[in-house]
């Protein structure tokens, strides 16, 4: 059995704590070019240009879209706000604190004819202990959604445990003209701690291995797909914007390195446990610096994307749903 682990002090639980929920503000690099839906050697999924075609999983050999009957009759989605929310105007119901959207990737994947019943257990602010323990009043342990008939599980977890809020708070200090404080050297201050946390959570024998073991015990026949964290920051300064220009060069570079380390760790842990991870990629910039009708993530949220600040847009959630469909 999975024993609930103590919660880490860093990381947010609600949409109102902007910095803590804005984990990937400084934790991302831009997608890499790709022409069609294929699984890459690093675990990412290249999804062809989705700006005008998002809405239906792309046809791919062996993908869900090619199957007439549900290949996965009992689908359970586990995870944090990166999986829970897409368009805030389209509520999926459930506990209000979880902010689940009908435009999140579980609900966008569910209409595929190869996917049967969906149980969306995702919840904003979730950390690893919330999988086995109650996150708050009215929010049951996410593992309660699993059973012996569950045959597909998606998992987005660990970002809040790493301490996104602490990282974001560091790199954004002094970024606003109204902030009288001097910028900090976040690599020097936090680099060792963050690297240690990534290893403790995602490394061999770490906390995420216990998560996979618990899923295997509760749903022994399930295919498990871990979803990496889609980027907010563009890979290149040439694709930057006012938001990224406000960060120091050193903090921006360190943040990109941390982003890569986290997603590499997510992928390594999935593969080590006999599963896969996915990250949609594209040949054009899909970061939060991209035009509103092209971006997969958003810095501020609200109109026109109605995403949560520093989280995926509905278009980004569709890209993730397409990536999962192509992978399985």
């Amino acid at each position: 059995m999975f024993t609930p682990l103590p919660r880490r002090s860093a990381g947010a639980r609600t949409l109102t704590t902007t910095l803590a929920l804005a984990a990937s503000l400084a934790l991302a690099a831009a997608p890499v070019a790709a022409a069609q839906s294929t699984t890459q050697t690093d675990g990412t999924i290249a999804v062809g240009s989705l700006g005008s075609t998002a809405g239906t999983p792309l046809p791919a050999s062996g993908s869900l879209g090619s199957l007439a009957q549900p290949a996965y009759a009992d689908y359970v989605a586990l995870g944090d706000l990166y999986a829970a929310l897409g368009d805030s105007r389209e509520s999926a119901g459930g506990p209000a604190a979880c902010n689940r959207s009908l435009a999140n990737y579980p609900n966008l994947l569910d209409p595929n004819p190869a996917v049967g019943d969906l149980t969306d257990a995702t919840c904003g602010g979730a950390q690893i202990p919330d999988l086995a323990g109650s996150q708050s009043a009215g929010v049951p342990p996410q593992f309660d959604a699993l059973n012996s008939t569950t045959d597909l599980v998606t998992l987005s977890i660990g970002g809040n445990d790493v301490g996104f809020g602490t990282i974001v708070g560091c790199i954004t200090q002094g970024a606003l003209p109204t902030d009288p404080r001097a910028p900090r050297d976040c690599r020097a201050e936090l680099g060792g701690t963050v690297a240690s946390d990534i290893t403790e959570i995602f490394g061999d024998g770490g906390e995420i291995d216990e998560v996979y073991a618990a899923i295997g015990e509760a749903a022994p026949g399930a295919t498990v797909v871990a979803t990496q964290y889609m980027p907010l920051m563009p890979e290149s300064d040439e694709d930057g914007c006012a938001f990224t220009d406000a960060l120091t060069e050193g903090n921006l570079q360190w943040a990109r390195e941390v982003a890569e380390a986290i997603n590499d760790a997510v992928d390594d842990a999935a593969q080590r446990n006999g599963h896969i991870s996915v990250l949609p990629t594209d040949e054009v910039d899909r970061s939060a610096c991209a035009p509103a009708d092209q971006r997969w993530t958003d810095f501020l949220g609200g109109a026109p994307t109605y995403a949560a600040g520093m989280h995926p847009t509905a278009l980004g959630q569709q890209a993730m749903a397409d990536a999962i469909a192509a992978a399985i």
Side-chain angles (χ1 to χ4, degrees):
M1 293 294 293
F2 181 87
T3 301
L5 298 162
R7 293 183 56 82
R8 294 171 182 266
S9 59
R13 303 191 64 86
T14 69
L15 283 171
T16 57
T17 50
T18 304
L19 285 181
L21 282 177
S24 301
L25 162 62
L27 299 179
V32 180
Q36 60 184 354
S37 299
T38 54
T39 303
Q40 308 297 304
T41 57
D42 63 356
T44 63
I45 296 293
V47 179
S49 185
L50 295 174
S52 61
T53 60
T56 304
L58 301 178
S61 176
S63 73
L64 295 182
S66 64
L67 302 175
Q69 298 296 325
Y72 302 96
D74 187 351
Y75 168 33
V76 174
L78 307 174
D80 51 27
L81 195 62
Y82 245 69
L85 187 60
D87 187 323
S88 60
R89 299 169 298 177
E90 302 180 31
S91 174
C98 291
N99 294 289
R100 295 175 193 147
S101 171
L102 290 173
N104 64 18
Y105 73 71
N107 279 284
L108 293 171
L109 180 64
D110 187 48
N112 192 293
V115 177
D117 294 334
L118 164 67
T119 301
D120 186 357
T122 61
C123 194
Q127 296 186 23
I128 287 175
D130 301 318
L131 299 176
S134 179
Q135 183 169 337
S136 61
V139 181
Q142 294 192 29
F143 281 158
D144 285 2
L146 300 172
N147 58 59
S148 61
T149 67
T150 302
D151 49 17
L152 176 63
V153 175
T154 54
L155 176 67
S156 172
I157 204 71
N160 291 326
D161 303 81
V162 169
F164 281 169
T166 299
I167 298 167
V168 170
C170 183
I171 67 166
T172 57
Q173 179 171 309
L176 296 176
T178 55
D179 188 345
R181 299 172 298 175
R184 297 156 63 184
D185 182 346
C186 299
R187 184 193 300 274
E189 289 188 34
L190 301 177
T193 299
V194 171
S196 177
D197 285 346
I198 292 172
T199 298
E200 182 178 345
I201 293 164
F202 294 106
D204 193 358
E207 296 172 19
I208 203 68
D209 284 357
E210 298 181 44
V211 170
Y212 281 117
I215 293 172
E217 182 176 348
T223 293
V224 183
V225 181
T227 55
Q228 299 177 37
Y229 290 92
M230 284 188 289
L232 285 104
M233 308 287 284
E235 181 182 45
S236 170
D237 291 343
E238 295 179 358
D239 292 323
C241 54
F243 194 91
T244 60
D245 290 345
L247 305 178
T248 69
E249 182 177 351
N251 284 344
L252 183 58
Q253 180 58 34
W254 175 72
R256 286 170 171 155
E257 293 173 13
V258 171
E260 183 177 4
I262 291 173
N263 278 342
D264 284 349
V266 170
D267 185 56
D268 288 345
Q271 294 192 47
R272 183 175 65 247
N273 285 277
H275 304 294
I276 60 173
S277 80
V278 298
L279 177 68
T281 66
D282 202 2
E283 58 189 10
V284 300
D285 179 34
R286 297 290 186 177
S287 75
C289 279
D293 62 350
Q294 297 179 24
R295 68 183 64 145
W296 285 352
T297 54
D298 203 329
F299 286 130
L300 301 179
T305 66
Y306 296 96
M310 313 304 172
H311 282 78
T313 64
L315 187 65
Q317 294 285 24
Q318 182 65 64
M320 185 64 80
D322 290 346
I324 297 167
I328 60 177

